[in-house]
């Protein structure tokens, strides 16, 4: 899943990684410091903050070692010790961030998440916070041999494709698909609606289509739910009720639950399969999925 990024970046990122405890199940860099965004100059990419996520099997032990190496990175929480930090980490999206950290002449921020919490988010989209970042191109810096984590990373990409198919019309371009995928983790984000930067998703996708292709091309080739008409540069998804039902049943558990909560009247005790079958026959199926994602 490692992708080429801006020139000379591999060495730069590995030098940063060398400052931290090496017991990592996954480490990746993401954001505009890694992948160029539309409207940003090359110089901007070389000066803005570098963002990292570190997945660790044992958060308390990792923070203990990191406190010995990099105590200045932590806020006042350092005085409470590694156990307290790892407990606080479990709240919200399950990730603890140290921000505005000077490192090798650059400002960085890094989030620490337990491997189990990451796998849970990748499979089930419990918060989609880190899973959403991994649906877009990132620079993988370290990854161990955890087969469950590897399966979860692939599952997350497949789920992103499935959700996008449901929300797109029958025929769409490859760029449309990547725009929909990149927007998944922004759905329901008030900043996108109010207009902090409505073109943010477009700015992520347009300069990085080749990186998105490397992430998703194998999944699209193996997907029975879509036909890629290369001569037209378009994809056609199966929009039959049967096709949509198959896609709905393949969605992550949390999104299925949100969709069923939207369409199942209070007090009516129907199972998920029955409700999703109803949604599959609904002409507004894509909108219902979008509402579930935004909820």
């Amino acid at each position: 899943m490692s992708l080429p990024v801006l020139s000379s970046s591999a060495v730069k990122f590995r030098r940063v990684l060398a400052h931290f405890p090496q017991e990592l199940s996954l480490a990746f860099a993401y954001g505009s410091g890694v992948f160029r965004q539309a409207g940003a100059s090359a110089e901007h990419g070389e000066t803005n903050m570098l963002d990292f996520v570190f997945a660790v099997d044992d958060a308390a032990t990792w923070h203990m070692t990191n406190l010995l190496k990099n105590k200045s990175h932590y806020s006042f929480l350092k005085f409470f010790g590694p156990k307290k930090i790892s407990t606080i980490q479990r709240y919200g999206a399950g990730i603890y961030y140290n921000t505005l950290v000077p490192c090798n002449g650059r400002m960085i921020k890094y989030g620490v998440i337990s491997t189990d919490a990451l796998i849970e988010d990748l499979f089930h989209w419990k918060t989609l916070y880190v899973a959403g970042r991994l649906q877009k191109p990132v620079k993988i810096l370290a990854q161990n041999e955890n087969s469950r984590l590897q399966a979860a990373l692939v599952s997350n990409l497949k789920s992103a494709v499935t959700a996008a198919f449901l929300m797109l019309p029958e025929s769409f371009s490859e760029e449309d698909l990547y725009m929909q995928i990149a927007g998944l983790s922004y759905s329901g984000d008030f900043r996108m609606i109010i207009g902090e930067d409505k073109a943010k998703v477009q700015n992520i996708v347009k300069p990085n289509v080749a990186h998105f292709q490397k992430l998703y091309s194998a999944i699209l080739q193996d997907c029975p739910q879509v036909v890629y008409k290369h001569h037209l540069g378009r994809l056609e998804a199966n929009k039959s009720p049967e096709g949509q039902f198959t896609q709905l049943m393949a969605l992550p558990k949390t999104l299925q639950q949100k969709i069923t909560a939207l369409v199942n009247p209070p007090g009516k005790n129907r199972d998920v399969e029955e409700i999703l079958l109803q949604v599959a026959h609904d002409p507004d199926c894509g909108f219902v999925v979008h509402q579930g994602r935004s909820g």
Side-chain angles (χ1 to χ4, degrees):
M1 289 185 64
S2 189
L3 299 172
V5 288
L6 304 180
S7 59
S8 77
S9 60
V11 173
K12 171 176 71 185
F13 293 132
R14 278 181 172 64
R15 280 184 185 148
V16 170
L17 209 58
H19 288 268
F20 296 95
Q22 296 303 296
E23 295 75 23
L24 302 166
S25 58
L26 182 72
F28 65 90
Y30 66 93
S32 57
V34 187
F35 293 93
R36 201 158 293 144
Q37 295 190 2
S41 66
E43 293 76 31
H44 181 69
E46 294 302 318
T47 56
N48 56 356
M49 190 182 292
L50 291 174
D51 299 303
F52 298 88
V53 168
F54 303 146
V56 301
D57 290 346
D58 183 338
T61 301
W62 194 92
H63 283 299
M64 181 176 70
T65 311
N66 198 41
L67 278 163
L68 293 171
K69 287 170 76 88
N70 300 304
K71 197 167 190 175
S72 63
H73 294 185
Y74 290 81
S75 67
F76 68 92
L77 287 172
K78 59 176 165 270
F79 300 112
F80 294 99
K83 280 206 171 114
K84 185 69 174 172
I85 292 167
S86 62
T87 302
I88 289 164
Q89 183 181 303
R90 291 191 208 114
Y91 292 104
I95 189 163
Y96 173 90
Y97 269 100
N98 281 327
T99 62
L100 297 172
V101 174
C103 185
N104 295 352
R106 292 285 291 271
M107 276 296 180
I108 71 165
K109 80 167 189 258
Y110 62 94
V112 183
I113 187 169
S114 80
T115 308
D116 286 343
L118 174 58
I119 288 171
E120 175 81 7
D121 198 33
L122 291 167
F123 273 130
H124 303 306
W125 290 8
K126 193 175 173 188
T127 69
L128 203 61
Y129 188 82
V130 181
R133 277 156 178 69
L134 286 161
Q135 289 163 359
K136 297 181 271 289
V138 301
K139 174 68 178 167
I140 303 280
L141 304 173
Q143 187 175 346
N144 69 10
E145 296 296 306
N146 185 326
S147 58
R148 195 159 162 265
L149 176 57
Q150 181 56 41
L153 288 163
V154 175
S155 172
N156 180 45
L157 297 179
K158 287 181 175 175
S159 296
V161 167
T162 303
F165 285 170
L166 284 159
M167 289 188 277
L168 285 161
E170 185 175 1
S171 175
F172 49 90
S173 70
E174 207 173 340
E175 194 173 290
D176 291 336
L177 174 65
Y178 300 141
M179 291 276 288
Q180 193 74 55
I181 288 170
L184 279 172
S185 52
Y186 294 112
S187 298
D189 184 336
F190 73 95
R191 291 171 304 175
M192 299 299 291
I193 299 158
I194 292 171
E196 180 186 293
D197 185 359
K198 283 187 177 170
K200 187 174 176 79
V201 170
Q202 206 166 25
N203 291 345
I204 290 167
V205 173
K206 280 192 177 291
N208 295 301
V209 167
H211 293 299
F212 276 92
Q213 284 172 328
K214 289 198 173 181
L215 263 186
Y216 289 103
S217 59
I219 288 168
L220 292 175
Q221 281 165 14
D222 294 342
C223 182
Q225 295 291 324
V226 72
V227 176
Y228 195 171
K229 301 202 166 176
H230 289 272
H231 61 293
L232 298 172
R234 296 191 74 74
L235 298 99
E236 288 189 2
N238 184 347
K239 285 286 172 183
S240 70
E242 296 76 20
Q244 293 191 142
F245 179 62
T246 300
Q247 291 160 16
L248 288 162
M249 289 298 289
L251 289 174
K253 186 171 67 179
T254 303
L255 182 50
Q256 286 183 342
Q257 287 167 345
K258 286 180 175 177
I259 291 167
T260 55
L262 278 171
V263 299
N264 196 33
K268 245 197 155 184
N269 194 13
R270 295 188 296 163
D271 65 21
V272 171
E273 197 168 323
E274 187 187 342
I275 297 161
L276 294 181
L277 187 60
Q278 176 193 325
V279 175
H281 282 81
D282 189 330
D284 292 326
C285 174
F287 180 66
V288 174
V289 174
H290 177 77
Q291 279 188 306
R293 184 46 229 117
S294 305

